[in-house]
Amino acid sequence: MNRFKKKIFIIPVLISLICISYLIYQTFILEKTAHVNYTEFLKDKKNGNVEAVTINDASTLKIKLKNGADYYTDNPRTLTFKEDLLTSGISVKESNVVSLNKSIPSSILIICIFSIVIMLSKKIKVSSSMTSMEILNNEKEFKNKYKFSSVAGNEEAKESLNDIVDFLKNPDKYNKYGARMPKGIILYGEPGTGKTLLAKAVAGEAGVPFYAVSGSDFVQVYVGVGAARIRNLFKKAKSKGKAVIFIDEMDAIGKMRSSGKIGGSEERDQTLNSLLTEMSGFNDNEGIVVMAATNRLDVLDPALLRPGRFDRHVEVALPDASAREKIINLYLEQKPCRDIDIKSLSYKTAYFSGAKLESLINEAAIIAAKSDSDFITEEHIEKAYSITIAGYNKIVRDSLREEDRKITAYHEAGHALVSLLKLPEDSIEKVSIIPTSKGAGGYTLSIPADSAYINMQYLKNKIMVLLAGRASEELIFGEKMVTTGAYNDLNESTKIIQSMITEYGMGNSLGLLRKSSLGSLSSEASKEVIDECKAMVENLYSEVKMLLQDNKSILKSIAEGLLEKETLYGADLAKLTNIITPQAV
Ligand code: ADP
Ligand code: ZN
């Protein structure tokens, strides 16, 4: 198509070249060589050599001699010229031949030039619209074959996204109740955990078009271009009625605005603003859902997370052992394989993301193909595993060591156990040794009984729960083996203790005085406060250790459960420990 257009373009160019050369030939060669003085012509006329003269309006006349030669001479333009010739017995042709000689190619030339200009301007238009097309084509629209069944594991995420699918499929059902469709959903979690896959699956399940862009595409473009792209994207999506818009690497445009930073951030701000404007610009039930992915939720601009914007946050965590088994199964199912111990592979691949598992299986398939084997076997998987592990970064390699998993398991088990014993009102959603984007090890607490006042005993218990990770490590592995894993816990507990003594009036050194109202403390008073904090944390720590010592067998069974399953939910914990909390009933 494009080639054809280029060929068409050549035609007027060629024609005009021909016309130009003809005109040059006409004026400079043909006429110059045969141009004769008017007096010469008069002589020829007098001698009776002239046979015919062609008269026209041009500056020259064409003369034909009796001997067959012809030439041009100047046109005298006298009124009696024709009569003069006729009376001399010379035939006179009155025609425009000469001027036609020039006027036809001239007009062709003009037409050609015109069409070239038109074509050029069209081409410029096309190419400029091409660039905007190309910009738009950065976002790809997929004919989507993904379904939730293409995503193994990630059950919680799938469950929470199911609502969106239902919203997209049956908007009337929700309209009837005046329910508002969530406009923006943020998927957060480690790279390769299937965020993109989930977004595609949402579109696939709902049967709506899927548009994907990446936040990093908007960085380092000229000011205004990013914003225009966002507007185009929404325009396109809206033209389809319903759609899922997916923005990968959301942090590239949605990072917290650091104050005072100029240059480079302006474009990002404009892009972000236009995104927010577009999102608030469409009606709740129009059927456009924006899904964004980021590795970290905490770096995003709070403006993005407000209600009516990206107010649904879905964690897409690294897969635990059973989820890994499902993912491995999913990818092996599609390939010829035999005698593979999927269970043991799923244990060996702790901390692998879905993407890593997929590439591990792919690697095994390549090895099998290279060795001309009919099936992928355990041997190929083994080889692929060592290759993949070698390519892994050190931290993950280290944490794959059994010893480290064990320490993490006891650390998290300590938190869980003390929470069950000391804060039975707080339900434990899950405990996990799979690291989350929030920190090493995963331990989720939700606080259901939100009483209006938090008392001193609650705070002390809370500190004990925080200290329990470290205490458990020490109890099981000895004082010398404690790790830095408790860094975050100690941070938290220190903050609470300090607030108790210096802000909440729960200590002795300041009594009911608040430090923040006192201004700076004398070094003596400061020392007293610190001493009191230290004494408090030491007391609580030894209390925790005692508690764990007394319940060591339960601690062990939680840790072993974690080592086996990697993630334990509230119900699993209740079964393992036989501790009945109000929530578990
Ligand atoms: P993210 O967007 O979180 O970085 P992707 O969705 O791009 O991750 O995942 C990359 C690839 O990894 C997917 O195309 C898929 O092949 C594989 N993958 C990741 N998680 C899963 C999963 N839970 N189930 C099946 N495949 C997965
Ligand atoms: Zn901890």
Side-chain angles (χ1 to χ4, degrees):
M1 165 89 180
N2 226 347
R3 269 197 156 169
F4 178 69
K5 268 191 181 159
K6 266 184 194 156
K7 270 184 193 155
I8 273 195
F9 192 69
I10 289 174
I11 296 170
V13 173
L14 271 182
I15 295 177
S16 36
L17 278 178
I18 292 170
C19 292
I20 290 170
S21 14
Y22 179 75
L23 285 172
I24 289 172
Y25 174 74
Q26 269 283 336
T27 32
F28 293 101
I29 311 206
L30 198 66
E31 291 183 14
K32 273 273 150 56
T33 47
H35 197 92
V36 164
N37 263 340
Y38 189 63
T39 47
E40 289 290 322
F41 162 70
L42 288 180
K43 261 189 219 160
D44 277 334
K45 185 180 147 217
K46 208 168 156 195
N47 297 336
N49 292 337
V50 179
E51 185 182 316
V53 172
T54 313
I55 303 179
N56 53 40
D57 288 340
S59 58
T60 50
L61 299 167
K62 194 176 179 190
I63 313 296
K64 197 166 193 292
L65 296 184
K66 283 185 174 145
N67 62 13
D70 40 48
Y71 57 77
Y72 289 93
T73 190
D74 291 307
N75 186 352
R77 286 193 175 113
T78 50
L79 287 173
T80 54
F81 185 61
K82 188 175 172 183
E83 188 191 356
D84 206 16
L85 290 172
L86 288 171
T87 47
S88 317
I90 296 169
S91 74
V92 174
K93 281 189 220 157
E94 219 168 323
S95 89
N96 281 327
V97 173
V98 176
S99 74
L100 276 185
N101 268 354
K102 280 184 182 175
S103 65
I104 289 177
S106 308
S107 31
I108 291 175
L109 185 62
I110 289 167
I111 291 169
C112 284
I113 287 173
F114 241 114
S115 49
I116 289 172
V117 169
I118 288 170
M119 278 184 183
L120 269 180
S121 72
K122 263 202 185 152
K123 210 186 156 192
I124 289 165
K125 250 193 202 158
V126 164
S127 66
S128 70
S129 71
M130 272 285 280
T131 44
S132 66
M133 279 286 277
E134 271 157 12
I135 288 171
L136 272 179
N137 282 346
N138 270 339
E139 112 268 307
K140 298 165 202 102
E141 187 189 335
F142 294 90
K143 193 76 205 131
N144 206 329
K145 59 178 191 298
Y146 294 95
K147 289 274 151 68
F148 277 147
S149 57
S150 333
V151 190
N154 286 330
E155 301 304 333
E156 289 151 87
K158 276 195 265 185
E159 202 176 271
S160 115
L161 292 175
N162 227 337
D163 297 352
I164 313 292
V165 174
D166 205 32
F167 258 118
L168 284 168
K169 269 173 144 171
N170 314 306
D172 294 338
K173 182 168 116 190
Y174 292 89
N175 278 341
K176 218 166 63 190
Y177 294 96
R180 181 173 63 82
M181 178 159 89
K183 282 181 185 173
I185 296 120
I186 289 202
L187 304 171
Y188 66 98
E190 302 284 310
T193 45
K195 296 182 288 295
T196 313
L197 201 59
L198 275 165
K200 282 185 201 167
V202 167
E205 288 280 342
V208 302
F210 177 75
Y211 295 93
V213 287
S214 174
S216 58
D217 292 346
F218 294 100
V219 187
Q220 283 176 349
V221 287
Y222 301 109
V223 172
V225 175
R229 278 185 196 174
I230 292 277
R231 281 194 296 273
N232 272 332
L233 178 61
F234 275 80
K235 215 165 99 192
K236 234 175 139 185
K238 274 186 208 164
S239 72
K240 297 275 158 103
K242 294 176 184 177
V244 170
I245 294 176
F246 177 67
I247 306 172
D248 204 359
E249 298 178 56
M250 187 63 202
D251 26 326
I253 38 175
K255 228 186 227 147
M256 227 163 319
R257 287 171 231 215
S258 44
S259 53
K261 229 188 185 177
I262 330 158
S265 67
E266 193 185 330
E267 169 56 20
R268 212 184 53 207
D269 281 358
Q270 278 202 14
T271 309
L272 183 59
N273 285 339
S274 94
L275 176 66
L276 293 177
T277 316
E278 287 296 332
M279 282 182 72
S280 50
F282 58 80
N283 286 332
D284 290 337
N285 295 323
E286 229 168 83
I288 310 278
V289 174
V290 187
M291 300 180 78
T294 179
N295 297 341
R296 291 179 56 194
L297 195 58
D298 55 326
V299 298
L300 290 185
D301 196 316
L304 267 174
L305 307 178
R306 270 188 222 133
R309 293 170 175 174
F310 289 97
D311 46 5
R312 260 229 199 167
H313 309 154
V314 176
E315 181 173 14
V316 187
L318 282 172
D320 60 15
S322 78
R324 289 200 300 273
E325 197 180 323
K326 286 183 198 153
I327 297 174
I328 294 168
N329 251 321
L330 178 78
Y331 287 108
L332 279 180
E333 252 170 31
Q334 309 157 359
K335 298 181 172 67
C337 59
R338 190 173 267 180
D339 304 331
I340 293 172
D341 187 351
I342 292 177
K343 202 147 203 122
S344 97
L345 181 60
S346 73
Y347 281 117
K348 279 198 308 196
T349 46
Y351 309 110
F352 271 50
S353 65
K356 277 270 141 64
L357 288 169
E358 194 271 337
S359 90
L360 168 70
I361 304 294
N362 189 49
E363 190 76 46
I366 291 171
I367 294 169
K370 269 203 247 169
S371 59
D372 276 331
S373 161
D374 288 339
F375 296 98
I376 303 172
T377 64
E378 189 70 39
E379 183 197 347
H380 305 128
I381 296 272
E382 272 307 316
K383 267 191 196 154
Y385 180 74
S386 2
I387 292 170
T388 316
I389 283 291
Y392 244 22
N393 63 34
K394 193 175 170 303
I395 295 169
V396 174
R397 262 203 321 261
D398 282 355
S399 45
L400 279 172
R401 279 180 24 217
E402 198 49 32
E403 188 67 9
D404 295 300
R405 286 185 78 229
K406 226 170 140 182
I407 292 175
T408 313
Y410 272 98
H411 178 106
E412 300 304 332
H415 284 309
L417 177 57
V418 175
S419 172
L420 285 173
L421 294 171
K422 283 286 173 185
L423 294 174
E425 299 288 322
D426 290 6
S427 77
I428 298 178
E429 212 170 276
K430 68 174 185 187
V431 192
S432 168
I433 55 170
I434 299 287
T436 66
S437 46
K438 284 175 189 143
Y443 163 69
T444 322
L445 260 187
S446 64
I447 304 167
D450 40 5
S451 52
Y453 302 107
I454 291 173
N455 62 30
M456 189 153 129
Q457 193 53 52
Y458 179 87
L459 289 175
K460 280 192 173 169
N461 289 341
K462 179 112 191 143
I463 295 165
M464 281 172 77
V465 173
L466 285 165
L467 295 175
R470 171 62 161 271
S472 173
E473 285 181 38
E474 191 185 323
L475 183 71
I476 304 295
F477 303 99
E479 217 170 311
K480 294 237 169 65
M481 293 301 290
V482 293
T483 66
T484 54
Y487 167 82
N488 271 323
D489 303 334
L490 296 182
N491 215 359
E492 282 285 301
S493 57
T494 307
K495 265 193 221 158
I496 298 177
I497 291 177
Q498 204 218 341
S499 301
M500 285 173 77
I501 290 170
T502 65
E503 303 295 326
Y504 305 151
M506 293 176 179
N508 294 322
S509 43
L510 291 181
L512 291 177
L513 294 176
R514 282 190 71 212
K515 189 181 152 209
S516 47
S517 312
L518 280 177
S520 59
L521 292 182
S522 70
S523 65
E524 202 181 320
S526 286
K527 189 179 175 297
E528 206 181 325
V529 168
I530 288 178
D531 284 347
E532 192 182 356
C533 289
K534 217 172 140 199
M536 187 167 172
V537 79
E538 269 164 14
N539 275 335
L540 291 171
Y541 190 64
S542 46
E543 209 178 311
V544 171
K545 271 200 289 191
M546 248 153 41
L547 191 67
L548 289 174
Q549 179 66 48
D550 292 345
N551 296 282
K552 206 166 168 182
S553 61
I554 305 180
L555 181 70
K556 250 191 173 146
S557 53
I558 299 177
E560 272 157 18
L562 278 173
L563 283 170
E564 190 200 336
K565 290 198 177 149
E566 290 173 4
T567 306
L568 296 176
Y569 294 90
D572 303 326
L573 274 177
K575 238 191 255 163
L576 272 174
T577 58
N578 280 323
I579 299 173
I580 309 293
T581 60
Q583 275 67 38
V585 184

